[in-house]
């Protein structure tokens, strides 16, 4: 039984030695990208609705893809409506009101009037054209 403990310890130490190095965090100001302050691009939303929509985006949309193509898209209101119409069946747990608020959030934050946020190069590489 003693040899089993030695083998187990060796495996644990060996695995720790070959574990990949942790990824370095990118310097990204998420509050600037997803600004829900009173002076921010709220559109028709209150700061509270904006924050709820931001949370919905970060918890729902990023289950399938990174946030980068979203913030780089900068679509018109009709283009966002078209994109979201194909995404609606993919998020059946969202209420119609939550989905409408998400659309308002995207239209006010990532449109053709506001320049896209500058992201670190590693994140920019994730900004593949949205589907």
């Amino acid at each position: 039984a003693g040899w089993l403990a030695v083998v187990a310890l060796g495996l644990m130490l060996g695995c720790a030695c070959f574990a990949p190095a942790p990824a370095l965090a990118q310097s990204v100001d998420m509050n600037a990208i997803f600004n829900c302050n009173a002076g921010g691009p709220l559109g028709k939303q209150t700061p509270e609705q904006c924050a709820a929509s931001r949370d919905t985006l970060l918890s729902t949309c990023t289950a399938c893809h990174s946030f980068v193509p979203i913030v780089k898209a900068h679509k018109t209101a009709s283009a966002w409506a078209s994109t979201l119409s194909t995404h609606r069946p993919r998020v059946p747990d969202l209420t119609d009101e939550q989905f409408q608020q998400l659309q308002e959030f995207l239209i006010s934050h990532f449109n053709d009037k506001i320049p896209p946020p500058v992201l670190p190069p590693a994140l920019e590489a994730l900004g593949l054209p949205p589907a």
Side-chain angles (χ1 to χ4, degrees):
W3 65 270
L4 187 56
V6 171
V7 170
L9 179 62
L11 287 173
M12 287 190 307
L13 291 175
C15 291
C17 292
F18 294 108
L24 297 176
Q26 298 288 318
S27 176
V28 177
D29 185 352
M30 296 296 276
N31 289 324
I33 295 170
F34 300 103
N35 184 355
C36 286
N37 296 324
L42 299 176
K44 299 175 184 177
Q45 293 185 312
T46 65
E48 295 77 21
Q49 290 170 322
C50 178
S53 298
R54 174 187 59 208
D55 293 346
T56 298
L57 183 150
L58 293 173
S59 65
T60 305
C61 303
T62 60
C64 295
H65 51 79
S66 84
F67 70 86
V68 176
I70 297 168
V71 304
K72 291 296 189 172
H74 287 265
K75 299 179 179 193
T76 63
S78 61
W80 274 121
S82 176
T83 297
L84 289 173
S85 70
T86 62
H87 284 73
R88 182 60 177 124
R90 301 174 189 173
V91 287
D93 353 343
L94 291 183
T95 66
D96 289 340
E97 182 181 350
Q98 287 173 309
F99 199 78
Q100 180 61 39
Q101 288 296 318
L102 177 61
Q103 182 170 331
E104 290 294 332
F105 177 84
L106 293 169
I107 289 169
S108 64
H109 281 77
F110 310 113
N111 58 58
D112 57 345
K113 309 271 188 275
I114 300 172
V118 176
L119 302 173
L123 285 177
E124 290 282 352
L126 299 175
L128 304 172

